[in-house]
């Protein structure tokens, strides 16, 4: 192994979140080329810490044999999250190439029960509590199309630790860490929960998105209220009106705050 390779792998071991952030700034094809030069363990660590949408785009550019090897060695939670972002033809080909046991496990996870939280959840933008406000804003700028009202904090294993309100970043010092701004008492849902059971959940009075976790606390994604209320189920009239009114106010605050945030940090 070359000295450069040793330095690189040591950096990934010590600063995995920083390495993942650096990769997110690169073109998909450049990330794919870089991943091919790393050991499987390091590749999975970086892919697992990247925005899942970005990770999936890069994953689909890898050689088929490598995608199978990576999926075979990934944990089931990450494998499920990644598969949910893959194009259908690509996913079908990948599942066929996997060992039967792994393929069956993933298919079971992917075949969520209709009308449950897991079917409607969307990818979350994940961060690390050691990141600074400045780092977080850079992530926001790279993920404008998938923005919510929060950034979600996970540990190195992908377990959910808390969330940071985007509006809090507006008033925070750029050198502050996200741990200083993080809230931990945020509600969360399990993917197998029926949608009808959470339509009137009190969380919707304060949150537009609620994190979705599995039984081991791994963050799988987030559930948007807008998508939830568009299901065939109907909430009771009065509570629905109250929730919509609150949600509209939060939406206006979110848009104003986000615009100010991006402007305050320059271009």
């Amino acid at each position: 192994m070359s000295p450069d390779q040793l330095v690189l792998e040591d950096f990934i071991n010590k600063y995995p979140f920083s390495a993942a952030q650096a990769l997110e700034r690169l073109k998909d094809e450049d990330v794919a080329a870089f991943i091919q030069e790393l050991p499987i363990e390091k590749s999975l660590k970086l892919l697992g810490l990247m925005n899942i949408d970005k990770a999936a785009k890069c994953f689909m550019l890898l050689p088929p044999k490598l995608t199978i090897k990576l999926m075979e060695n990934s944990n089931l939670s990450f494998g499920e999250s990644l598969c949910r972002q893959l194009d259908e033809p690509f996913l079908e080909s990948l599942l066929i190439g996997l060992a039967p046991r792994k393929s069956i496990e993933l298919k079971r996870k992917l075949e969520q029960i209709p009308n449950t939280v897991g079917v409607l959840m969307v990818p979350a933008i994940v961060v690390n509590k050691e990141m600074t406000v400045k780092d977080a804003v850079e992530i926001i700028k790279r993920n404008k199309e998938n923005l919510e009202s929060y950034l979600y904090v996970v540990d190195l294993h992908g377990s959910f630790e808390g969330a940071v309100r985007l509006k809090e970043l507006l008033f925070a010092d750029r050198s502050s860490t996200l741990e200083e701004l993080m809230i931990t008492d945020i509600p969360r849902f399990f993917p197998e929960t029926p949608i009808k059971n959470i339509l009137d959940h009190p969380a919707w009075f304060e949150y537009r998105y609620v994190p979705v976790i599995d039984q081991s606390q791994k963050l799988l994604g987030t559930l948007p209220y807008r998508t939830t209320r568009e299901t065939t189920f109907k909430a009771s009239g009065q509570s629905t009106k109250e929730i919509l009114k609150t949600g509209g106010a939060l939406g206006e605050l979110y848009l104003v705050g986000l615009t100010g945030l991006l402007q305050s940090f320059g271009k």
Side-chain angles (χ1 to χ4, degrees):
M1 185 179 294
S2 69
D4 287 344
Q5 189 77 4
L6 287 172
V7 171
L8 178 61
E9 293 196 20
D10 184 58
F11 179 78
I12 294 173
N13 285 332
K14 292 181 178 178
Y15 310 103
F17 275 96
S18 296
Q21 284 183 69
L23 286 184
E24 287 187 358
R25 298 188 183 98
L26 302 178
K27 294 180 180 179
D28 296 347
E29 54 268 26
D30 293 333
V31 177
F34 178 76
I35 289 294
Q36 293 179 60
E37 300 299 320
L38 296 175
I40 295 296
E41 180 186 354
K42 300 290 189 302
S43 297
L44 287 172
K45 176 175 286 189
L46 291 178
L47 287 171
L49 294 175
M50 290 171 62
N51 173 277
I52 193 64
D53 196 38
K54 175 77 171 181
K57 290 176 181 176
C58 300
F59 185 82
M60 289 189 288
L61 294 175
L62 297 173
K65 288 185 178 180
L66 181 56
T67 61
I68 290 174
K69 196 169 184 179
L70 286 168
M71 192 59 71
E72 292 279 8
N73 287 274
S74 70
N75 62 60
L76 193 56
S77 178
F78 171 68
E80 177 194 0
S81 298
L82 187 64
C83 284
R84 291 189 182 283
Q85 306 307 313
L86 301 177
D87 292 344
E88 194 65 32
F90 186 96
L91 176 59
E92 290 180 5
S93 178
L94 177 66
L95 292 174
I96 290 173
L98 293 175
R101 181 177 179 179
K102 188 75 172 188
S103 181
I104 291 172
E105 287 180 336
L106 281 171
K107 286 179 179 178
R108 285 175 178 169
K109 294 289 284 184
L110 293 171
E111 292 172 354
Q112 295 284 355
I113 302 171
N115 300 318
T116 60
V117 168
V119 174
L120 299 182
M121 69 180 180
V122 298
I125 299 178
V126 299
V127 291
N128 164 248
K129 63 185 177 185
E130 296 176 359
M131 289 179 182
T132 64
V133 169
K134 183 178 179 180
D135 293 332
V137 171
E138 288 303 313
I139 292 175
I140 291 171
K141 289 180 178 180
R142 295 197 302 273
N143 293 278
K144 293 179 182 179
E145 68 282 1
N146 295 317
L147 276 184
E148 304 174 8
S149 303
Y150 291 81
L151 297 178
Y152 299 92
V153 182
V154 299
D155 63 17
L156 289 176
H157 304 292
S159 297
F160 181 67
E161 293 191 307
V164 177
R165 292 185 177 94
L166 295 192
K167 66 178 183 180
E168 294 294 332
L169 299 179
L170 280 167
F171 309 104
D173 185 277
R174 297 188 187 189
S175 61
S176 298
T177 64
L178 298 187
E179 184 173 17
E180 299 174 59
L181 307 176
M182 181 176 72
I183 56 174
T184 57
D185 59 341
I186 186 170
R188 56 210 74 178
F189 297 146
F190 291 114
E192 62 272 16
T193 304
I195 291 297
K196 63 181 180 180
N197 290 0
I198 51 88
L199 279 174
D200 287 331
H201 197 286
W204 298 127
F205 286 98
E206 183 175 355
Y207 300 96
R208 296 169 65 243
Y209 292 80
V210 174
V212 181
I213 62 170
D214 64 13
Q215 297 296 333
S216 63
Q217 302 300 307
K218 293 288 179 64
L219 179 65
L220 303 178
T222 63
L223 180 67
Y225 177 67
R226 179 176 294 276
T227 302
T228 302
R229 70 182 177 84
E230 290 173 352
T231 63
T232 56
F233 296 105
K234 301 294 183 181
S236 62
Q238 182 60 36
S239 60
T240 300
K241 290 178 181 178
E242 292 174 358
I243 291 173
L244 291 178
K245 182 178 179 181
T246 305
L250 286 173
E252 290 180 13
L253 177 61
Y254 164 68
L255 291 175
V256 172
L258 177 58
T259 301
L261 172 65
L262 295 179
Q263 290 176 344
S264 69
F265 277 81
K267 297 180 179 180

